[in-house]
Amino acid sequence: MNIQAPRGTYDVLPDQSAKWQEVEQKINNLCRLYQYKEIRTPIFEHTELFQRGVGDTTDIVQKEMYTFQDRGNRSLTLRPEGTASVVRSYVENKLFGMPDQPVKLFYTGPMFRYERPQAGRTRQFVQFGVEAIGSKDPAIDAEVISLAMEVYRSVGLKQLRLVINSLGDTESRVAHKKALIHHFQPSINEFCSDCQIRLEKNPLRILDCKVDRDHPLMATAPSLADYLNTESQAYFDKVQAYLSSMDIEFVVDPNLVRGLDYYNHTAFEIMSDAEGFGAITTLAGGGRYNGLVEDLGGPESPGIGFAMSIERLLLALEMEKIEIGQSNNLEVYVVAMDEKTKKKAFSVVRDLRMNGISADMDFTDRKVKAQMKSADRKGAGFVIVIGETELESGKIALKEMATGEQQEVAFEEIATAILKKKSLGNRHVKNALLWGS
Ligand code: HAM
């Protein structure tokens, strides 16, 4: 039997990994600009963390977790998301005691959910997420949202839609919950068994149900917007004002309820409007979770964050036909004519690399023609051919592939000549950007 990757997982092959690296580089750079510091938490945690953190009534906890007993009979779970782990770490490591609050954190790593795989939905996926914990300033909500938008903008995505909502504070939510129970209770037998349980435990989850979404009572369900108290509305207004001050466009959708239990006040999602994106159009989701730190044993520390999968970001790039990841193409390919010149080629390659220039050569005894083809396939910027003549004269012809131009250069000068051409090239690019040519 051939062993294949488990359903819902995939390999990132070398022709794709450059895209991942470029996205991750952009993310790291943006987090530096916004001053979010990286946190790395374990891939598995005690199951209880997610039951309490994400919420017992959520689909994630009820249906999607990879939970197992370890050899010490502990119940552990592969993390389905990052927020609960980050908050656990914030409490455990007493980050609430750090002088600078909010503590602004980011993470990039694999998450696991047992979901039905389809385009944009896998069982292992990589989330980039941020959490700002220790502030209830609406400005930080706007900052977090703007960082999410900036990630997409930095890779060139344009067809984006930011949807926001307020889930209000506890008082508003209790009032809304009552109204929901009142609305659904008389006809709850017409709903799925999950919804019947939800009615008691968390009626807001009913609005999220995939089975009963077309039931007429869904459309007429009381909207949270009508139950927001004055403080919650004022908070939401301020978040919107901050977003507008950054010229970030958004749509308010009172039906936006997120699939995790810890949210209150601001909730948001970023969708792709690109054609052909398929059924799943949500690129990122997040919101405020005042109370989660306390639920997990810490002092009052309000937080907000979001997460996005890199998979869906790459899918959106494909749909918008945006190419990324060309920056690590090969700069120089060194062709050796025969066994005798190979040693020299080997030392030229090493010398180039020592000078910060990417260089490669043949390791399978191919003929010159095949080596040239390989250089072409690898997209080499320059090619150098080393034969007897070059060894004798101490000079090579440096061929620039884009223009076909050749320049005679002494062996010791190769790296310098390439660096010079590269800096000239960069200047051309800069000028072209400046003058729009
Ligand atoms: P979430 O909405 O469950 O929120 O997931 C956030 C994002 O993770 C989604 O918008 C999507 O990009 C990606 N994602 C989720 N499931 C899958 C999947 N099966 N395959 C591919 N991508 C997926 C959270 O996880 C919260 N922790 C976000 C958050 C952080 N809220 C506050 N802080």
Side-chain angles (χ1 to χ4, degrees), residues 30-303:
L30 279 170
C31 286
R32 188 183 58 79
L33 291 179
Y34 282 69
Q35 284 294 291
Y36 285 71
K37 302 280 161 67
E38 189 178 18
I39 181 163
R40 300 186 189 198
T41 60
I43 301 280
F44 57 85
E45 298 268 2
H46 290 288
T47 303
E48 198 191 345
L49 172 69
F50 303 113
Q51 288 168 336
R52 274 172 46 192
V54 175
D56 259 342
T57 58
T58 59
D59 275 359
I60 295 181
V61 169
Q62 296 218 322
K63 302 179 186 162
E64 296 170 1
M65 294 208 302
Y66 281 90
T67 298
F68 59 97
Q69 299 286 122
D70 77 356
R71 286 170 194 271
N73 250 346
R74 296 170 198 90
S75 178
L76 298 172
T77 294
L78 297 183
R79 60 182 187 192
E81 59 106 51
T83 312
S85 305
V86 171
V87 170
R88 194 244 337 117
S89 177
Y90 179 87
V91 173
E92 185 173 340
N93 297 294
K94 301 193 172 48
L95 300 187
F96 48 78
M98 304 238 297
D100 279 315
Q101 302 286 325
V103 177
K104 304 206 288 185
L105 303 163
F106 83 94
Y107 49 89
T108 312
M111 307 291 161
F112 306 86
R113 293 185 195 177
Y114 191 81
E115 292 193 88
R116 192 182 311 179
Q118 53 181 293
R121 178 172 285 157
T122 46
R123 290 184 172 169
Q124 173 172 337
F125 54 97
V126 175
Q127 266 188 354
F128 157 63
V130 316
E131 314 293 346
I133 312 177
S135 163
K136 53 174 193 275
D137 183 340
I140 195 85
D141 299 40
E143 175 180 285
V144 162
I145 295 173
S146 73
L147 173 52
M149 292 298 284
E150 199 52 28
V151 169
Y152 296 123
R153 205 198 61 84
S154 77
V155 291
L157 287 172
K158 293 208 168 61
Q159 297 179 48
L160 302 168
R161 187 161 31 98
L162 168 63
V163 182
I164 62 170
N165 189 21
S166 172
L167 304 177
D169 60 6
T170 313
E171 189 186 84
S172 314
R173 288 150 63 78
V174 167
H176 181 230
K177 191 175 165 182
K178 265 195 197 149
L180 283 174
I181 294 176
H182 188 74
H183 179 76
F184 285 115
Q185 196 149 42
S187 320
I188 195 64
N189 291 340
E190 296 163 21
F191 286 75
C192 72
S193 55
D194 280 349
C195 280
Q196 299 188 9
I197 298 168
R198 287 173 184 136
L199 183 74
E200 302 225 332
K201 291 198 165 171
N202 188 354
L204 195 65
R205 282 273 86 78
I206 297 178
L207 302 179
D208 222 12
C209 180
K210 286 163 198 139
V211 181
D212 292 316
R213 67 172 151 219
D214 295 327
H215 192 288
L217 281 185
M218 289 293 210
T220 53
S223 165
L224 191 73
D226 299 328
Y227 292 85
L228 286 187
N229 59 15
T230 324
E231 295 90 73
S232 299
Q233 187 60 53
Y235 192 92
F236 193 35
D237 289 344
K238 282 185 195 155
V239 174
Q240 295 181 49
Y242 276 116
L243 287 174
S244 301
S245 77
M246 291 185 283
D247 292 325
I248 293 177
E249 286 178 24
F250 56 85
V251 185
V252 177
D253 179 357
N255 293 322
L256 177 75
V257 288
R258 306 257 310 121
L260 302 93
D261 272 356
Y262 45 64
Y263 292 115
N264 39 56
H265 289 288
T266 316
F268 69 96
E269 287 189 350
I270 300 172
M271 332 286 269
S272 168
D273 282 337
E275 211 177 298
F277 200 84
I280 299 169
T281 57
T282 308
L283 296 179
R288 181 160 274 287
Y289 46 84
N290 301 350
L292 182 59
V293 175
E294 289 102 301
D295 286 349
L296 296 177
E300 188 189 336
S301 316

